[in-house]
Amino acid sequence: MFQILDSIGVFVFAISGVLSGLNKRLDAFGVFIIAFVTALGGGTLRDVLIGKTPVGWMGNLTYLYIILLAYFVTLFFKRHLERLRVSLFLFDSIGLGVFTIIGIEKGIEFGLHPIICITLGTITASFGGVIRDILCNEIPVIFRKEIYATVCIAGGVMFFLLKRVHLNQDVLYLLTSLFMISFRLLAVKYKWYLPSLYKKD
Amino acid sequence: MFQILDSIGVFVFAISGVLSGLNKRLDAFGVFIIAFVTALGGGTLRDVLIGKTPVGWMGNLTYLYIILLAYFVTLFFKRHLERLRVSLFLFDSIGLGVFTIIGIEKGIEFGLHPIICITLGTITASFGGVIRDILCNEIPVIFRKEIYATVCIAGGVMFFLLKRVHLNQDVLYLLTSLFMISFRLLAVKYKWYLPSLYKKD
Amino acid sequence: MFQILDSIGVFVFAISGVLSGLNKRLDAFGVFIIAFVTALGGGTLRDVLIGKTPVGWMGNLTYLYIILLAYFVTLFFKRHLERLRVSLFLFDSIGLGVFTIIGIEKGIEFGLHPIICITLGTITASFGGVIRDILCNEIPVIFRKEIYATVCIAGGVMFFLLKRVHLNQDVLYLLTSLFMISFRLLAVKYKWYLPSLYKKD
């Protein structure tokens, strides 16, 4: 089940990467690379930082195939994606939750402090987008106006709070994910933003 | 022989880095760094991703000396480089072939799947240029209009096809390199580009 | 003592990161990330390149707390920082010296050649700023007009020259740091720049 959600996350993140690449008028190779780093860049950075090498996607070709599928699906159906906007947003939020949990678990596996685990969860879920934006020559959107990373951090705190009460792992994952998904939906619906710190001057 | 070709590749990649740095009006240090990452950035990224650390150039100062040589040669003779344009392009294509094969062999050494090995070959040969472009604040040229990475991927496929017939290693390397060099020369001569995917809308 | 200087370095580098982030009008999260990478990005890159993973800050939360402190101090007192400009510059130069020495020592610990150790010292002290500039979508300032990296390299050479005469470690560190701090102060006072190489054409 969790594996399926992870695959859905990769798929949806890759679609958003393809759309970014098309938007920047990249060629077929460039668009694929942007899809790849959007989907797997966060996990790759996490693996490099903790020393889990060769990095994850090198040992499991499934991720590559999912990204290829997302690539062609997006190219062929991009006229229709607008109609799926709400579904895509929901799946993207699922990806956010699943990726955060995967990053946290990897930190626990390496015996790291909960704060570092939450950092790794946030990197896993949100730094693919950072690398995408750097490659596209933009200041990363999550540094400017998205509440993305905040959701990851809040989800990570929730994860460790829930973990204290010794829940069954499935329940722990489910509650953490639901909390993050709800948080994000509310954040977008009610336009919650982090303060820009700028106007205070 | 192969070692010499590798050195030529580093030398020519470094020259192209120096020219990019000069073009961006960087100072003496900045130009050197751009030369360095253009020549060795791809291999460094590859080593980091597979966990072969300390990364390659840290154990062999030869690369550093070759880049220093390329740096001073370019600064002193840059007026004359224009006349060597065709030779430089040929050497650059040799570097592309050699770097791809080195990356593939590193992947095989780490027991990775052929598709991942081809990915590593492509990263080795073409991501130095990606890092160069990011440092120079440009969208990487190979994501926009160069057939560079495509040549690496095609060369990688050719490598594994030829490997199946149990060729002698020298012959395998030679045929793969010649295939890639010819592919690139033809691509440039006949202006083959990847589709931009953009106009389909 | 050295540990305290290291903490001061992280603190001051983080302040400069916060100021960069504010300047780019990032939100609260973005500003924090820029502070983090400015302070710890160089050491992180060094650890990744030599394979010392999980990277340094993952095993010691002190760094994270220092950066959080620098973050809030800067936000609350930024009107007054201008008056502290000279002190901040002095502390920044101390950070430069300490970070360079830490990077060099890490290279020695890994049995690397002195030239590579100096490279690692330079990366530790100056590549946090490079990553900051890339995330802020700028060509790194140290590639254009700062004498920053030159000070690191000169300090590294001085370190190995002094090491030859078998000084006590404290004296070695003190002399190297003082040399670097003086060099930088003189460089800024007398506006020493590296040649841009550009006007030679």
Side-chain angles (χ1 to χ4, degrees):
Chain A
M1 178 61 191
F2 197 69
Q3 183 57 48
I4 292 171
L5 291 176
D6 179 32
S7 300
I8 290 176
V10 170
F11 187 77
V12 180
F13 277 41
I15 287 177
S16 97
V18 172
L19 296 174
S20 295
L22 291 173
N23 203 32
K24 283 281 171 179
R25 307 189 186 189
L26 303 182
D27 68 13
F29 176 74
V31 169
F32 179 75
I33 294 294
I34 299 299
F36 190 93
V37 302
T38 306
L40 299 182
T44 301
L45 178 58
R46 174 204 66 216
D47 285 351
V48 164
L49 292 176
I50 61 179
K52 204 204 142 296
T53 50
V55 297
W57 52 266
M58 292 192 180
N60 185 350
L61 289 180
T62 314
Y63 292 116
L64 198 62
Y65 299 145
I66 293 172
I67 293 168
L68 275 172
L69 184 67
Y71 179 74
F72 288 111
V73 164
T74 312
L75 291 185
F76 285 112
F77 298 105
K78 64 174 182 284
R79 284 164 205 275
H80 310 284
L81 286 178
E82 183 55 28
R83 263 186 287 149
L84 297 172
R85 212 167 48 82
V86 175
S87 314
L88 283 176
F89 178 76
L90 185 65
F91 285 134
D92 190 71
S93 301
I94 293 174
L96 186 68
V98 174
F99 281 23
T100 302
I101 293 172
I102 290 173
I104 290 172
E105 285 289 7
K106 204 71 78 176
I108 293 173
E109 185 187 321
F110 273 70
L112 299 167
H113 188 281
I115 291 179
I116 301 298
C117 294
I118 294 173
T119 306
L120 289 172
T122 307
I123 289 174
T124 307
S126 61
F127 272 60
V130 170
I131 303 174
R132 173 199 64 208
D133 292 342
I134 293 172
L135 290 176
C136 288
N137 205 13
E138 306 269 3
I139 294 182
V141 67
I142 68 160
F143 296 172
R144 286 181 289 144
K145 54 182 188 198
E146 258 277 14
I147 203 114
Y148 219 84
T150 312
V151 174
C152 300
I153 295 168
V157 172
M158 179 62 73
F159 179 94
F160 281 101
L161 289 178
L162 291 173
K163 204 176 157 70
R164 288 210 161 181
V165 295
H166 301 288
L167 292 175
N168 167 290
Q169 181 179 287
D170 287 346
V171 179
L172 172 63
Y173 285 6
L174 189 69
L175 288 178
T176 306
S177 302
L178 285 179
F179 168 75
M180 292 178 67
I181 294 166
S182 319
F183 187 171
R184 185 155 186 237
L185 296 181
L186 290 170
V188 169
K189 187 169 166 56
Y190 295 105
K191 300 192 197 305
W192 293 342
Y193 288 124
L194 286 182
S196 88
L197 305 178
Y198 178 70
K199 288 180 184 161
K200 282 186 184 166
D201 268 346
Chain B
M1 179 60 191
F2 197 67
Q3 183 56 48
I4 293 173
L5 291 176
D6 179 32
S7 301
I8 291 177
V10 170
F11 188 76
V12 180
F13 276 41
I15 288 178
S16 97
V18 172
L19 296 174
S20 296
L22 291 173
N23 202 33
K24 281 282 172 178
R25 309 192 183 187
L26 304 182
D27 69 12
F29 176 75
V31 170
F32 179 75
I33 295 295
I34 300 299
F36 190 93
V37 302
T38 306
L40 300 182
T44 301
L45 179 59
R46 174 204 65 216
D47 285 351
V48 164
L49 292 177
I50 60 177
K52 202 203 144 297
T53 51
V55 297
W57 52 267
M58 291 194 179
N60 186 351
L61 289 179
T62 315
Y63 292 116
L64 198 61
Y65 299 145
I66 293 172
I67 293 169
L68 275 171
L69 184 67
Y71 180 74
F72 288 110
V73 164
T74 312
L75 291 185
F76 286 112
F77 298 105
K78 65 174 182 282
R79 284 164 206 274
H80 310 283
L81 286 178
E82 183 57 27
R83 262 186 288 148
L84 298 171
R85 212 166 48 82
V86 175
S87 314
L88 283 175
F89 179 75
L90 186 64
F91 286 134
D92 190 72
S93 300
I94 293 174
L96 186 68
V98 174
F99 281 24
T100 303
I101 292 172
I102 291 174
I104 290 172
E105 285 289 7
K106 203 71 78 176
I108 293 173
E109 186 188 321
F110 272 70
L112 299 167
H113 187 281
I115 290 179
I116 302 297
C117 294
I118 294 173
T119 305
L120 289 172
T122 307
I123 289 174
T124 306
S126 62
F127 272 60
V130 170
I131 303 175
R132 174 200 64 209
D133 291 343
I134 293 171
L135 290 176
C136 289
N137 205 13
E138 307 268 3
I139 294 182
V141 67
I142 68 160
F143 295 172
R144 286 181 289 145
K145 52 183 187 197
E146 259 277 13
I147 203 113
Y148 220 84
T150 311
V151 174
C152 301
I153 295 167
V157 173
M158 179 62 73
F159 179 95
F160 281 102
L161 289 178
L162 291 173
K163 204 177 157 70
R164 289 210 161 181
V165 294
H166 301 288
L167 292 175
N168 168 290
Q169 182 180 284
D170 288 345
V171 179
L172 172 63
Y173 285 6
L174 189 71
L175 289 178
T176 306
S177 302
L178 285 179
F179 168 74
M180 291 176 68
I181 295 167
S182 320
F183 186 172
R184 186 154 185 238
L185 296 181
L186 289 170
V188 170
K189 187 168 165 61
Y190 295 106
K191 300 191 197 307
W192 294 342
Y193 288 124
L194 285 182
S196 86
L197 305 179
Y198 178 71
K199 288 180 186 160
K200 282 185 184 167
D201 268 347
Chain C
M1 178 62 190
F2 197 69
Q3 183 58 47
I4 293 172
L5 290 176
D6 179 31
S7 300
I8 290 176
V10 170
F11 187 77
V12 179
F13 276 41
I15 288 177
S16 97
V18 172
L19 296 175
S20 296
L22 291 174
N23 203 33
K24 281 284 172 176
R25 310 191 184 188
L26 303 182
D27 69 14
F29 176 75
V31 170
F32 179 75
I33 295 294
I34 300 300
F36 189 94
V37 301
T38 306
L40 299 182
T44 301
L45 178 59
R46 175 204 66 215
D47 285 351
V48 164
L49 292 176
I50 61 178
K52 202 201 144 299
T53 50
V55 297
W57 54 265
M58 291 194 181
N60 185 351
L61 289 180
T62 315
Y63 292 117
L64 198 62
Y65 299 146
I66 294 172
I67 292 168
L68 274 171
L69 185 67
Y71 180 74
F72 288 110
V73 165
T74 312
L75 291 185
F76 286 112
F77 298 105
K78 64 173 182 285
R79 284 163 206 275
H80 310 284
L81 286 177
E82 183 56 27
R83 263 186 287 148
L84 297 172
R85 212 167 48 83
V86 176
S87 313
L88 283 176
F89 178 75
L90 186 64
F91 285 134
D92 189 71
S93 300
I94 293 174
L96 186 68
V98 174
F99 281 22
T100 304
I101 292 172
I102 291 174
I104 291 172
E105 286 289 6
K106 204 72 76 175
I108 293 173
E109 186 188 321
F110 273 70
L112 299 167
H113 188 282
I115 290 179
I116 302 298
C117 293
I118 295 173
T119 306
L120 288 172
T122 307
I123 289 174
T124 307
S126 62
F127 272 60
V130 170
I131 303 174
R132 173 200 65 208
D133 292 343
I134 293 172
L135 290 176
C136 288
N137 205 12
E138 307 268 2
I139 293 181
V141 66
I142 69 160
F143 296 172
R144 286 181 289 146
K145 54 181 187 199
E146 260 277 13
I147 203 113
Y148 219 85
T150 312
V151 174
C152 300
I153 295 167
V157 172
M158 178 62 72
F159 178 95
F160 280 102
L161 289 178
L162 290 172
K163 204 177 156 71
R164 288 210 161 181
V165 295
H166 300 289
L167 291 174
N168 167 290
Q169 182 180 288
D170 288 345
V171 179
L172 172 62
Y173 284 7
L174 189 69
L175 288 178
T176 306
S177 301
L178 285 178
F179 168 75
M180 292 177 68
I181 294 167
S182 319
F183 187 172
R184 185 154 186 238
L185 295 181
L186 290 169
V188 169
K189 187 168 166 59
Y190 294 105
K191 299 191 196 308
W192 293 342
Y193 288 124
L194 286 182
S196 87
L197 305 178
Y198 178 70
K199 288 180 184 160
K200 282 185 183 167
D201 267 346

